[in-house]
Each structure stands twice: as C-alpha cells, then as structure tokens.
Amino acid sequence: MNLACASCPVRERAACAVLTEAERGELARAGRTVKLKRGEMLFAAGDEDHACATLLRGALKVSAVDREGEERILALIHPAGFVGELFQPFAHHDVVALTDCELCVFARREMEAALERHPALARAMLRRSQDDLHAARELLELTGKQDAATRLAGLIMAMARAASDSPCHPSQAFDLPLTRGEMAQMLGLTIETVSRRMSKFEKDGLIAKKGARGIELVDPARLEALVGVGL
Amino acid sequence: MNLACASCPVRERAACAVLTEAERGELARAGRTVKLKRGEMLFAAGDEDHACATLLRGALKVSAVDREGEERILALIHPAGFVGELFQPFAHHDVVALTDCELCVFARREMEAALERHPALARAMLRRSQDDLHAARELLELTGKQDAATRLAGLIMAMARAASDSPCHPSQAFDLPLTRGEMAQMLGLTIETVSRRMSKFEKDGLIAKKGARGIELVDPARLEALVGVGL
DNA sequence: CGATCAATTGAGCTGGTTCAATCGTTGTGG
DNA sequence: CCACAACGATTGAACCAGCTCAATTGATCG
C-alpha cells in the first residue's frame, strides 16, 4: 500500500514533518504502510538489512533477549516515534507491537539516502535521537532506584504522561499498555513484586484498578512524591 | 586558548572529522580548549544555556542526582565522545571528569548553527547520538540482570573493551577509571557488594587486582561467560 | 608521620525472589 | 448461551542475595 501522508495522524510531529510536501511525497514513494497486531514482531535481533519505521498509531516495545532467554524492555515507542538502528549492519534488538499498530516503514538504505538528500531531515532525526537517548537515560535512572515501590511509581507516572494528549499533565485514568510481566521486565523486577506493589498502591488509596488493564490515579501527588525523580 | 585541530588527538574520530580543513577551522574559532582535573564538573544539572563539548583526552561521567541526593551514573564518555544536550534549554544531568581531561568546548548556539551550515556534521552527530543511545540501552540491559556477579562482570568487560585501543579485543590489564562507589552507582548496587564480588572474582581466579586501580583479566572467557549478554 | 579517603570484611536483617496454588478474564467451540 | 481452555494476575510461604551498620585495613598525600 502506498503512503497517504495527507491523512497521516502524525503528520505534524514525525521527523518527516520538516520536509516540503514534494520532498515528503518522494520519500513516501519509497516507503509503505504496515499494520501489526498486538504481539507481532516488526524486527528481530540479528536481522540483517533490517528496515526502519515511524510509528503512526499504537505502541511498540524495543527489547533485548539474552542467552538465557530473559527479555528486557529497553524502550517504549509512541506515535511519531522512530524505530530502527541506522548505520548498523544488523539489528541488536527486537521490536514488537504492544497494541495493534500502524507504521510507515522504509528500507534503511532509502532512509539513509534521504538523510543525505535532505539536511533538515538529518537534523530532525538528530533531535529525535537525542530525545530517545534522554528517555533511555531516564529509564536507567528509574531502574536504579533501590526499592520496587519507587520504580513502579515512576513507571506508572511515565505511562500516565505518555497516555495524555497534553504533554504537560498526566492522564487521570487510562489503560496500561503493558502487562504485569512487561512492567517487570522494564523495571528489573518479577511479576509477583509488581503485582504485590500494585495491590498495595490500591490499598493505600494511591490508585484504583479499573478492570483488566485500566488504572485510575486517585492521588497522583502522593504517587509522584514516591518517585523522587525530576520531570 | 584557541583550538589546535592539527594536533588534536581525536582528529580522525570526532564528529568534526567529516568537515574540510577550512570548515573545521571556522568551527574551531568558535570553541575553546578546556582542561579539567579529576572530580571537576563540566556542566551541572539545571544549568541554563549550558555548552557542549567533544572529549579529547581522559574520561567523563554523565550522572543524575535525585531529590534524596542519590547519584546515578548514566554514561561514561571516552575520547572522541560528545557531551551536552542539544536543543534543550537547560541541562538535565551532571557531567564530571573521572580523570584529568582535555576537551573542546562550544557554546550550544554555535554548535546548533554549525549543524545548519554543515549537513555532514549533522549526519555525523546523528550517528554519534545513535551510538550513545545504543550504549545507554546496553547499560540498561546490564543493570537489568538479577544478580550482582553478572552485572559486575559485564561492567568489567565493557571497561576492558573501552580501555583497549583495538576495538575488537579487550585489554588484558588496565586501570579501572571508576572507584568502587562509582561502579556501584552505575550498576545499582552498593559499594560493599561490588567490593565483595570483586574479591570473590579474584579468589575464583577470574581477575587479579593490581594495586589500587589496576586490574588484570586472568580468565576473560569465564568472565565473559558470566555476562550472558551479547557484545 | 599522621590524616584522609577508598576499599575490605564481618554480622545481621529485610525486601524481593522463588516456588506454588488460586482466581479472574478473554476467547473459542460445542 | 454455556463450558472450557489458555493466559494473565493475585496471593501465600519460605528462602536468600544484597543492603545496612560497623569496624578495620590499605593507599595517597601533604
């Protein structure tokens, strides 16, 4: 399927927004739209000549799997985010759909060529890459916390922020994009610990669980206070 | 002091290597060489209008300090590496010299202007940024390991690789750029745990301690096997 | 030579892991 | 429409790796 930039939901925010209509159209002809169902894999670690993509709708996870088969989630990707390791001969990480997704996929060569042709695109990608770096370091800081409650509180607040349209204030009620197991993988904890702390948060009146995936922040201030990390 | 690119030790590898002599000279006039002693701070979290820099000699750490004063090391920077958060109004992290250092410092505005003027520089910075992102995610993977021995083994191997000139094979014997406390901060452990595991590694014949900072990898293969993480 | 700071080592405690059983939700097929 | 299977989430009990507190040793430097 060809790309329909005109109706692209992230037209304003994705890296390609810096291109002119004509340039964007040219890039679009090199790419294609892909839909993924929850759980489907976009790239796998070890793939040679893997592609890259901008996420239009849904959520992705980037994860590493070690020799023992333990999975570790390294990043969450939200709409307008970019995945794919430029300049690398093969992929180091898996990229998997957390929810049903829609993406705009490019061959890596095409993307690299476009970076040469369009300096503004390279600068936009640099900006995005720096943001990703910042996000990775924030996760690093979060997972360095000694106790499980702090880490989990930080993750919940981060997801509340991501779930909100307004970048400033977090959502009060939303659906968690991650299972307990996935939260555990992000935080370096076990499923059981995550589950126990969630129950304790609810008992203490910090949150309320709404069905399977839903969560409501009953007392965001107290939750935020737990975190002890800026932003 | 003005910059002497001609005698720059990272002339070939730094981001500015992609520029022509003339372009580089122009950029150089906007920057200055700075020397730091071990422990001195280059940028502090919260600095407005902070600068950015390429590291010529020595080693830096990038770290975050939370409200409780707990420090967390987010990255190590080696020669030819770049520090400074482009596009950000203020710094989020501290940058401190781990050893005596020499740097090439630029005002952030100058650097951002240079990225506009020189597309090749923007691409080089993108590449570097992606490498930094990859390094951050590798550290994330390492600190996700359940047991202290695995994490420490991974850090030692990473430092051995960084200490080696040849990018392929790690040094057999080198000086650790970090104190026990700093290693602990990187790995989310305590000083005592790091110290104990180091002693155990020595007792088990994996490493040998050489004076205060020195270390020798007696059995790198067995150490690597402990890690359980690729690369 | 003493002072200071990093590193080591010991002892006890605790929070998170591990193992295991149960419950709840979702989706499928009869 | 219900039953059942599959999977995620919860909860309990016991254990143990790493944390905390504390004392000692070792290295570096004026």
Side-chain angles (χ1 to χ4, degrees):
Chain A
M1 190 210 293
N2 209 341
L3 294 170
C5 295
S7 66
C8 174
V10 298
R11 190 173 55 250
E12 317 279 332
R13 296 143 55 212
C16 51
V18 299
L19 299 177
T20 64
E21 283 303 317
E23 290 169 342
R24 195 208 287 254
E26 184 194 353
L27 181 58
R29 276 188 291 282
R32 65 188 197 285
T33 298
V34 168
K35 293 192 182 192
L36 293 180
K37 289 235 179 58
R38 170 174 170 78
E40 286 185 320
M41 185 170 287
L42 180 61
F43 312 137
D47 278 1
E48 286 185 66
D49 237 18
H50 62 109
C52 56
T54 290
L55 181 61
L56 308 185
R57 269 185 257 266
L60 300 170
K61 64 175 174 181
V62 178
S63 60
V65 180
D66 67 19
R67 294 175 199 152
E68 288 89 44
E70 287 298 312
E71 183 178 353
R72 171 88 195 177
I73 296 180
L74 303 173
L76 301 182
I77 309 293
H78 299 289
F82 181 87
V83 285
E85 301 171 65
L86 298 170
F87 317 121
Q88 298 285 340
F90 60 91
H92 291 84
H93 305 134
D94 293 343
V95 178
V96 176
L98 287 170
T99 65
D100 292 357
C101 282
E102 198 174 327
L103 304 104
C104 185
V105 178
F106 301 91
R108 222 183 51 233
R109 310 190 139 230
E110 292 296 338
M111 193 48 155
E112 286 171 17
L115 292 175
E116 299 270 341
R117 265 198 313 276
H118 308 301
L121 183 61
R123 288 193 296 272
M125 288 295 295
L126 173 57
R127 192 175 216 121
R128 188 158 291 284
S129 178
Q130 296 260 320
D131 288 347
D132 288 347
L133 178 58
H134 192 254
R137 288 180 174 172
E138 228 162 52
L139 184 54
L140 207 39
E141 188 180 352
L142 192 61
T143 58
K145 304 290 173 192
Q146 275 335 86
D147 58 319
T150 305
R151 292 193 227 179
L152 187 56
L155 181 61
I156 292 171
M157 290 308 293
M159 292 196 295
R161 266 179 259 121
S164 162
D165 308 312
S166 72
C168 38
H169 281 305
S171 292
Q172 288 290 117
F174 60 101
D175 275 3
L176 293 167
L178 300 178
T179 65
R180 296 285 184 270
E182 287 164 337
M183 289 192 252
Q185 282 166 12
M186 281 198 82
L187 298 173
L189 300 170
T190 58
I191 294 181
E192 293 92 329
T193 300
V194 171
S195 184
R196 273 187 255 270
R197 306 261 52 140
M198 290 285 279
S199 298
K200 188 155 190 308
F201 282 165
E202 183 165 41
K203 189 154 63 68
D204 294 351
L206 296 177
I207 64 170
K209 300 185 208 161
K210 298 285 177 184
R213 278 293 171 77
I215 185 174
E216 185 191 335
L217 306 188
V218 177
D219 193 342
R222 217 143 43 98
L223 205 56
E224 183 63 51
L226 255 181
V227 180
V229 75
L231 192 141
Chain B
M1 188 208 293
N2 209 338
L3 293 171
C5 295
S7 65
C8 174
V10 297
R11 191 174 54 250
E12 317 280 333
R13 296 144 55 214
C16 51
V18 298
L19 299 178
T20 65
E21 283 303 317
E23 290 168 341
R24 197 210 287 257
E26 184 194 352
L27 182 59
R29 276 189 291 284
R32 65 189 198 283
T33 298
V34 168
K35 294 191 183 193
L36 293 180
K37 291 235 179 56
R38 169 175 169 76
E40 287 186 318
M41 185 169 287
L42 179 61
F43 313 136
D47 278 2
E48 286 184 67
D49 237 19
H50 62 109
C52 57
T54 289
L55 181 62
L56 307 185
R57 270 186 257 265
L60 300 170
K61 64 175 173 181
V62 178
S63 59
V65 180
D66 66 19
R67 294 175 199 154
E68 287 90 44
E70 287 298 312
E71 185 180 350
R72 171 89 195 176
I73 296 180
L74 304 173
L76 301 182
I77 309 293
H78 299 289
F82 181 88
V83 285
E85 301 170 65
L86 298 170
F87 316 119
Q88 296 285 342
F90 60 91
H92 291 84
H93 305 132
D94 294 343
V95 178
V96 176
L98 286 170
T99 67
D100 292 357
C101 282
E102 199 175 326
L103 304 106
C104 186
V105 178
F106 302 90
R108 220 181 54 230
R109 311 191 138 226
E110 292 296 336
M111 192 46 152
E112 285 172 16
L115 292 175
E116 300 270 342
R117 265 198 312 277
H118 308 301
L121 183 62
R123 288 193 296 271
M125 287 295 295
L126 173 58
R127 192 172 218 125
R128 187 158 292 285
S129 178
Q130 296 260 328
D131 288 348
D132 288 348
L133 178 58
H134 193 253
R137 287 180 174 173
E138 231 163 49
L139 184 55
L140 208 38
E141 189 179 352
L142 191 62
T143 58
K145 303 291 174 192
Q146 248 15 52
D147 59 318
T150 306
R151 292 192 227 180
L152 187 56
L155 181 61
I156 292 172
M157 291 309 292
M159 292 196 294
R161 267 179 259 121
S164 163
D165 308 312
S166 73
C168 39
H169 282 305
S171 293
Q172 288 291 116
F174 61 100
D175 275 2
L176 294 167
L178 300 178
T179 65
R180 296 284 184 272
E182 288 164 336
M183 288 192 252
Q185 284 167 11
M186 281 198 82
L187 298 174
L189 300 170
T190 59
I191 295 181
E192 294 93 326
T193 300
V194 171
S195 184
R196 272 187 255 271
R197 307 264 46 144
M198 289 287 278
S199 298
K200 187 154 192 306
F201 282 166
E202 184 165 40
K203 190 154 62 69
D204 295 350
L206 296 177
I207 64 170
K209 300 185 211 164
K210 298 286 179 183
R213 280 292 171 78
I215 185 174
E216 185 192 335
L217 306 188
V218 177
D219 193 341
R222 215 143 43 96
L223 204 56
E224 184 64 50
L226 254 182
V227 180
V229 75
L231 193 136

